[in-house]
Amino acid sequence: MSAATDSLTITDNRTGETYEIPVQDGAIQAMDLRQIKTSEDDFGLLAYDPAFKNTANVRSEITYIDGDKGILRYRGYPIEQLAEKSTFLEVAYLLIHGELPTQQQSDEWVHHITHHTFVHENIKTFIDGFHHDAHPMGMLVSTVGGLSTFYPEAKEINDAANRNIQNIRLIAKFPTLAAFAYRHSIGMRYAYPDNDLSFPGNFLSMMWKTTELKYEPDPILEKALDTLLILHADHEQNCSTTTMRAIGSSDADPYSAAAGASAALYGPKHGGANEAVLRMLEEIGSVDQVPEYVKLAKEGNFRLMGFGHRVYKNYDPRAKVIQGLAHDVFEVTGKNPLLDIAVELEKIALDDDYFVERKLYPNVDFYSGIIYQAMGFPTSMFPVLFAMGRIPGWLAHWQENLLDDEQAIVRPRQLFVGHGARDYVDVGSR
Ligand code: CMC
């Protein structure tokens, strides 16, 4: 009787057979399609979904997004509240452990992360080996993967205590690797972590410390960086998180999985977008050039970086928080002249039918790069900053995947459309 509301009736017009497929949580199980066959030796019906545009491959309790309404919540908490009231390390705890920490849990968590910021001295040798103009993201991808060789016990992925220590190490050491990569790229001596400073304060110190005995971060910039990290901390099943889960599904250690996730984040359609936004704004060059570039985008000859999102079909809530932050940061750093171009671009695009019809709004990366640049970060560091923020999200998903009995090693199917069997042809006869 309830079949009318919680199942799907499928008639296969090839055979005339009818099937009853259960619907749960708004989805059918793709494996239920396998019974739909044209003959006994037919493999069964597959769902074809390039780029997973309409496929849920996990049940997750971590992050909720309503792309149409522009809602983002971590473990139920709205991103706007976390950005205003929480800290990045508290959010990291929330994502990984599922609840906000008590005072004692928070103190222990912060203490452990603060005291795992140092990396093995050999990592420095490793970084020294890179060419002077190596992209810091390339160095990050390699060194994160390299960390797995220093912690072989990280392979014990089924041991909860062991997972916890690797989570702590990864969150703690990411900024150190990131800052070391930057220092190498400008030929400056590495600045070691300063455990007296806050998490973002320590990162700023490792980036900018020169001859002073103690680096004193500007509290406004410290808070702004912390907020930016919160905004990037998770975004459910995006490309890099899916990579983290996929690599983790083979029971690889979390350093190797995080290296893969970082590599996925490197691309300009994902974490490389904030770098691409800055390059785009520099290419546009002045406010009066904006209409020309909007025209090019509409003709399909130019992609407005920082616009559009696979999930958000409304204003990205993170972009709104960042707009507010920009004001605070520019009070300290002075206004970034690229802001005027960005504001004009946003104004024209949001008024234009092409963008309105396709629901293309500014995303998190549209303004973050302008802030990072005003804070002194070179564009090549932007995806690195994104990765530093995203690591707790990757770890939360990696762990959730491991503990989920429904999961197995990721192994999609394909629709083979290549040649049938054919005989090898000698090179002289080709
Ligand atoms: N500028 C101009 N046109 C665009 C843009 C853009 N930025 N984004 C999408 N479109 C058009 C696209 O040409 C297509 O038009 P049509 O239907 O006429 O062919 C339509 O909008 C749908 O685009 P799509 O590429 O099919 O959408 P998607 O969901 O596959 O891509 C996206 C999403 C984020 C890859 C894409 O919007 C994009 O490339 N944006 C620029 C890069 C960017 O800012 N990426 C950061 C995403 S947020 C950070 C993160 O989560 O990683």
Side-chain angles (χ1 to χ4, degrees), residues 269-270 273 303-307 309-310 354 358 363 365:
K269 285 188 176 171
H270 191 10
R303 191 152 273 229
L304 289 190
M305 301 315 288
F307 262 80
H309 200 277
R310 173 66 58 78
Y354 175 94
R358 289 168 181 75
N363 60 47
D365 291 319

Side-chain angles (χ1 to χ4, degrees), residues 144-218:
V144 172
L147 280 182
S148 77
T149 63
F150 293 86
Y151 305 108
E153 75 280 11
K155 289 186 174 63
E156 305 301 328
I157 43 111
N158 293 318
D159 179 71
N162 188 29
R163 274 200 311 273
N164 193 39
I165 181 69
Q166 311 313 336
N167 287 340
I168 287 168
R169 283 191 177 126
L170 265 159
I171 296 169
K173 293 182 201 305
F174 237 71
T176 314
L177 297 177
F180 280 16
Y182 167 71
R183 304 285 281 216
H184 174 74
S185 68
I186 55 160
M188 266 185 86
R189 165 177 86 71
Y190 306 114
Y192 280 75
D194 181 342
N195 291 351
D196 295 339
L197 297 175
S198 69
F199 185 86
N202 170 50
F203 178 64
L204 294 173
S205 167
M206 290 189 291
M207 285 289 296
W208 313 125
K209 189 170 188 293
T210 52
T211 55
E212 65 273 52
L213 283 179
K214 193 154 188 78
Y215 180 85
E216 286 181 18
D218 183 293

